[in-house]
Amino acid sequence: MTVEPVATQMANDVAAAPPQEEAKKVAEETKEVVIDQGGEAEAPDEAVKAVEKSASYREESNFLSDLKEFERKALNELRSKLEDAILGDALFEKPEEKKKAKKEEEAAPCDESAAEKEKPEEAEKVEEGGGDAEEAKEEEEKKEEEKKEEEEGQCVEVDREIALWGVPLLPSKGAEETNVVLLKFLRAREFKVNEAFEMLKKTLRWRKESGVDSALGEAVDSELSAAAYWDGTDREGHPVCYNVYGVFRDAGLYRKALGTEENRERFLRWRVQLMEQGIKKLDLKPGGVSSLLQINDLKNSPGPAKKELRVTTQRAIHLFQDNYPELVARNIFINAPFWYYALNALISPFLTQRTKSKFLVARPGKVTKTLLKYIPAEEIPVQYGGFKREKDFEFSSEDGSVSELTVKAGSTETIELPIEGTGNTLLWDITVLGWEVNYKEEFVPIDEGSYTIIVQKGKKMAPSEEPIRNTFRNNELGKIVLTIENVSAKQKQVLYRYKTKKCSSF
């Protein structure tokens, strides 16, 4: 379902065998999986570290001045090839059609000389018979003109407006985005010009034959939107796509999306549409944000045993790898089950370092911490430990950034949130990564003669607790005090934000 999803590539190796048997087999082969006494399978720290260590990818610059000499040379060669192909109307030719076209061109060239050699028989007869010479000449010229127009109509007009992802491809047009697009194809083929050129031509043919440019205007099945959607940006401005594999646990949705060949084709079409939507969010100029971030949630994923999902995802992999090169800056897999690490140990030696460097994996207990490295808390959906809620307009960028606090093991920290004036409402969000702390909320009035009001009773917060949002309207001057007691043996990271909503005066 994503571009280059390693989990699916590894799933293809275990085909249709029962997941329990395959997990056991892989575990025995790699010795990377351990089963705790409770029967729950998990990956050892060594396997996790090996996967996380590989996530070192850094995007290259698209400015010409930053390219190495061999990269600039390859780019210029590709530009030249592309220019000639577009002006020579050879960009959409398939290899097997190229020879045929060449033979036809030699046999019947589409130019004025062909018309010159084929004079109309009727005109010749008129001249030989001594008829009206002027009338015969006009008739001859008319027929020659008609013949020329017919032959020119058969010649395909050169299309100089060929574009990809909204970027004109004819280099002589001078669009600065053209180099950025071409560099993606070159990097995908390690700057081998001929291979990059063939990849580009195949992409353009596929888009033309599949009508990809019209996909954005097609109706979308609303139920599929739960499987993948765009939501916000990361710290570097990359649009973020969330792919939720767990939705395919629902038998009804699974059948609707993948139950028949027609459904699978429609599903792939929708995935292409989703990718095209993401590309619309990019800035393909040098220095602009020209790639995407993929978040792949493997929680409750059916795993490699579901044949239809496995095969369809494999098709999607090839489709995106072949036609959307270097458009994903990073793939983050969260809530990864144990079989993912085991299969990764098998497949990793066969992946290039560039591919491996784009992948990062997080266990269930590390989801929020991992996402925070790349996405600000206010942009992370609440179900993943952030503060972003659907159709929530309470907080905006003008309300300030998220604050952080570290609570050492065995210690207690308090956060004081002042409320301006009286009759106003204080609104706050707070989360503790991994929770496992005692937490309470109180309103403490300034007047020592007043009573402290318990906003939320103290309770032990479970590790899986979502961020808390609460409000309090004050009738007297005071402050909200949030108390975090860390009873664990590890320090805890607290994230919070707040704002005052002043009451309207009438």
Side-chain angles (χ1 to χ4, degrees), residues 73-230:
K73 181 180 179 182
L75 177 60
N76 288 332
E77 287 182 16
L78 182 56
R79 285 172 59 91
S80 179
K81 277 181 170 289
L82 184 58
E83 183 88 13
D84 292 343
I86 293 177
L87 296 181
D89 191 36
L91 197 58
F92 292 98
E93 281 185 341
K94 295 181 180 179
E96 60 271 17
E97 294 175 348
K98 194 171 184 180
K99 294 181 180 179
K100 183 180 177 182
K102 188 175 182 181
K103 289 181 179 179
E104 291 177 349
E105 183 180 351
E106 292 173 351
C110 189
D111 54 26
E112 292 185 13
S113 61
E116 293 275 344
K117 294 178 182 178
E118 297 180 8
K119 293 184 179 294
E121 295 182 4
E122 292 81 356
E124 292 179 359
K125 290 180 180 179
V126 171
E127 290 178 1
E128 292 174 0
D132 191 332
E134 186 148 346
E135 185 179 341
K137 185 178 179 181
E138 289 178 358
E139 184 70 18
E140 180 184 351
E141 289 176 351
K142 182 179 180 182
K143 290 195 175 186
E144 284 182 355
E145 188 175 342
E146 289 175 352
K147 180 71 174 177
K148 182 179 178 181
E149 289 176 354
E150 181 181 351
E151 290 175 339
E152 287 179 344
Q154 292 173 353
C155 294
V156 180
E157 184 180 351
V158 174
D159 184 3
R160 297 169 179 263
E161 305 302 321
I162 295 174
L164 177 60
W165 308 323
V167 175
L169 289 183
L170 187 64
S172 57
K173 279 185 171 289
E176 55 185 344
E177 298 96 330
T178 303
N179 283 343
V180 176
V181 171
L182 297 185
L183 282 169
K184 290 185 179 297
F185 285 86
L186 284 168
R187 285 169 177 145
R189 291 297 179 263
E190 298 179 332
F191 284 88
K192 297 175 182 177
V193 178
N194 289 336
E195 293 183 17
F197 185 48
E198 287 303 316
M199 184 184 189
L200 175 59
K201 290 198 295 183
K202 288 179 180 178
T203 293
L204 293 172
R205 285 200 299 266
W206 168 76
R207 294 180 68 89
K208 185 176 182 179
E209 293 168 359
S210 303
V212 173
D213 290 332
S214 64
L216 283 172
E218 295 173 359
V220 178
D221 191 330
S222 59
E223 290 187 48
L224 289 177
S225 62
Y229 54 89
W230 296 100

Side-chain angles (χ1 to χ4, degrees), residues 322-342:
D322 293 342
N323 301 291
Y324 296 96
E326 299 297 314
L327 280 167
V328 175
R330 181 168 284 104
N331 261 307
I332 302 178
F333 292 83
I334 59 176
N335 293 312
F338 80 98
W339 53 260
Y340 179 93
Y341 295 96

